[in-house]
Amino acid sequence: MKPKYYITSPIYYVNDVPHIGHAYTSLACDVLARWKRLDGFDVFFLTGTDEHGQKVEKAAALAGLDPQAFTDRVSPAFLEMARIMGISHDDFIRTTEQRHKIATTRLWHRLEDAGEIYLGGYEGWYAVRDEAFYDESELTIGPDGTRIGPSGAPVEWVVEPSWFFRLSAWQDRLLEFYEKNPDFIAPVSRRNEVLSFVRGGLKDLSISRTSFKWGIPVPGQPAHVMYVWVDALFNYVSATGWPDPDAPRANFWPADLHMVGKDILRFHAVYWPALLMAAGLEPPHRVFAHGWWTIEGEKMSKSLGNVIAPADLVGAFGLDPVRYFLLREVPFGNDGDFSRRAVVSRMNGELANDLGNLAQRSLSLVARNTGGRLPPRGAPTEEDLTMLAAAEALPGLLRGLFDRQAFHEALEEVWKVVRAANGYVDHQAPWALRKTDPVRMAAVLRVLADVLRSVATVLQPVMPDSMGKMLDQLGVPEEARDIAALARPLPAGIPLPPPQGIFPRHNDEPAS
Ligand code: MSP
């Protein structure tokens, strides 16, 4: 039986149009999902839309639609984003679906039966934009004298009856849980932030609202709808078919990884494990908080008009270069800046020059000099062995790095091999061996073909389409494209299709 791997993206608020920030979170999940499938795992990759709450209710009112009609209309934009970005999710959940409402209602009963929730009254600050409650101490005074939350969102004073989750009682158990599971929150800097937040003391969490209607009703309490974050977080469990133990995906819980942006870490790393443990469910294995993108040095915002739509980006540069760029440019976990200049420079330097040229020149030499057939392996020299060993080490290295979500380091390791292979061709000069030592020439070309196969195989999760083409050109059959297949050399003599450039240079050269 294959080992299981369950990975989730956040579910996206439907009041916004999909942009590069959403695409980034989904892309990171996609690369891991594809990697794990390639590495022999049974993967469940979940994404979807977060459709309840005051923010969505307001957006629907503004659009002149009832909330259900509004969400039906806008949720597909996120499915479309997934298509444009080449996202290979296995399920797309909407929180307005029946399966989710049933599961979440069940969760509520569990919390109630366990004595983990109680009816009280909430009086405090709330930011609709973040759908978050803030403590007075977290607020600052904005330019117009009003109070704003840590994210810059305006807050309002709310007084209403509310159900509460006894979060305060979970402080020690959470700290113990973090201690026992040192890899639960990543990166480490974020882990430290969460730890100090929890050490600072936790208040009970308001988990129902009465001042609006758009949410999952609290069972037996028609005036209350569930707090949208409780509803939203539970999507990760409801998508497994819980509480049905026979549901096809029942055994995927707990999730292996929740990928989130840094802005929503507190919900995932504090409230979520506490709620799960309170309901007698296992917490997820890991939460990774990535950084935020700015655009050409500026915060992305509708008012600045600099919001980048994934379709425009992919239209301008092509899907695989965009996927490569987003994961290569910034150490995953840090904030980063998106600039056209940086995309073009990576496209032309690393994709067209380093990898594209390596493939093109190696495969054209094969086409011209070995009758377009994969040459046999020769007696290896010291240099051949070093080159091959570097390529063969990639799967093991990448496995470790992807398990730490260190995409940029993984790509750097692959590029070390690509650069070494370019050095190897220059040094071996197979074109000059053609007349003097054709057997050695064939052996050199075979080393190159084998190195390219390893490189293209491990890069498939990042650039599925281009690496698929490269594997076609290397004569690698579909069933020999996973990580395990790298241990089985291809037979000599298989015919290779005529080589074609895979990464064109982008002619919009950065101005110097
Ligand atoms: N609905 C909640 C998540 C609920 S999960 C149970 C939500 N949705 S969101 O649509 O606002 O954001 C989804 C993701 O997009 C978050 O992980 C957020 O960090 C990410 N990004 C939004 N803008 C971003 C950037 N400018 N840069 C990088 N990621 C950003 O929060």
Side-chain angles (χ1 to χ4, degrees), residues 9-14 16 19-22 24-25 50 55 78 229 232-236 259-264 268 290-294 300:
S9 84
I11 49 172
Y12 302 103
Y13 284 131
V14 285
D16 211 353
H19 57 59
I20 181 181
H22 308 122
Y24 183 55
T25 312
D50 188 352
K55 176 152 88 167
F78 285 90
W229 267 103
L233 286 164
F234 209 65
N235 89 88
Y236 302 136
M259 181 65 75
V260 301
K262 61 180 183 178
D263 53 319
I264 55 173
H268 285 82
H290 66 67
W292 270 47
W293 286 93
T294 50
M300 188 165 47

Side-chain angles (χ1 to χ4, degrees), residues 315-336:
F317 301 109
L319 176 57
D320 282 353
V322 166
R323 290 174 60 108
Y324 175 76
F325 173 81
L326 290 175
L327 295 176
R328 178 67 188 89
E329 181 71 1
V330 179
F332 199 65
N334 293 7
D335 290 337

Side-chain angles (χ1 to χ4, degrees), residues 81 170 354 369 419 441:
M81 172 189 87
W170 283 90
D354 296 346
N369 301 322
R419 287 191 291 260
M441 175 202 65

Side-chain angles (χ1 to χ4, degrees), residues 265-279:
L265 179 60
R266 191 187 288 181
F267 300 97
H268 285 82
V270 182
Y271 306 155
W272 183 224
L275 277 167
L276 285 164
M277 291 191 272

